[in-house]
Amino acid sequence: MEMLKRIPKGLSTLNRYISYLFKIMIALGLAVMVGIVFYSVISRNYLNASIAWSEELSRIMFVWMVFNGAVLGLYYKEHLGLDIVVTRLKPHQQLIFEIISWILIIFVTRAMILGGHRIVYTIRNARTPALGLPTNIKYMPVVVAGYAMILIAIENLLNSIVGLVEHFTKKKVKEE
């Protein structure tokens, strides 16, 4: 049991660093994106010069920020959920639903990663029109965020399993 408790603790430390990295990426991405869009608007309205690459780059950065935000939403457990039924259950039953939920999240995220890899591989030689960047840079956040979400889900799944085992262990000790 003690060995099982160590794994989520190690993952927790790793996930904390990953979430910090994603926060920094979001903050920097937002600052750069605001600067690019501001420069583009000023250039278009006051200099009569449209910047072709600004829209493309801001769109790519927006996609990255959305997926980074999804990772942070999962890390802080801020994703949408309907818990009307679950809140009325006993604590050990809630843990069972949590375990099922984390398993489903892992399966869906795995499908997201596989689909993302397939897209990235399919368009590996294409380039964006204005910047000439590899086109798969637009789809890479699906894969990167997917792996981070899998780590977060595994940590929470193991914590739920440990909680359930501890619940039944305490219950068994009380009965004896």
Side-chain angles (χ1 to χ4, degrees):
M1 185 63 175
E2 289 303 317
M3 183 64 167
L4 186 61
K5 287 182 183 180
R6 286 185 197 164
I7 297 170
K9 286 181 183 177
L11 277 174
S12 175
T13 303
L14 177 64
N15 288 338
R16 191 172 44 254
Y17 287 120
I18 289 172
S19 72
Y20 184 71
L21 177 67
F22 275 82
K23 285 180 199 175
I24 290 172
M25 287 171 35
I26 287 175
L28 290 175
L30 184 61
V32 170
M33 195 169 94
V34 166
I36 291 169
V37 171
F38 180 75
Y39 175 68
S40 176
V41 169
I42 296 297
S43 176
R44 187 179 327 119
N45 291 334
Y46 296 107
L47 303 175
N48 284 335
S50 184
I51 305 168
W53 56 267
S54 66
E55 181 184 342
E56 187 174 286
L57 185 57
S58 62
R59 188 178 317 124
I60 290 169
M61 293 180 78
F62 183 72
V63 171
W64 274 91
M65 286 195 322
V66 165
F67 280 94
N68 291 349
V71 170
L72 290 178
L74 187 63
Y75 178 75
Y76 290 111
K77 298 180 184 173
E78 296 289 328
H79 52 284
L80 291 176
L82 187 61
D83 60 355
I84 293 171
V85 176
V86 177
T87 54
R88 296 175 188 215
L89 298 173
K90 296 175 184 172
H92 73 278
Q93 292 171 329
Q94 289 179 359
L95 285 170
I96 291 169
F97 272 94
E98 253 184 52
I99 290 169
I100 293 168
S101 170
W102 289 116
I103 289 171
L104 288 173
I105 288 171
I106 289 169
F107 278 115
V108 169
T109 306
R110 182 180 176 276
M112 182 177 88
I113 291 170
L114 292 175
H117 273 296
R118 206 171 296 128
I119 291 170
V120 167
Y121 180 77
T122 302
I123 60 170
R124 67 188 175 280
N125 296 324
R127 297 269 181 205
T128 60
L131 291 169
L133 296 172
T135 303
N136 59 11
I137 199 168
K138 293 189 284 189
Y139 302 98
M140 198 57 98
V142 174
V143 177
V144 173
Y147 284 120
M149 292 169 100
I150 288 279
L151 289 173
I152 292 166
I154 290 171
E155 173 198 349
N156 286 298
L157 173 64
L158 292 175
N159 281 330
S160 298
I161 291 171
V162 166
L164 190 62
V165 168
E166 285 179 345
H167 172 80
F168 284 117
T169 304
K170 287 177 185 176
K171 187 177 179 182
K172 195 172 188 178
V173 169
K174 284 181 183 179
E175 288 175 0
E176 293 174 356

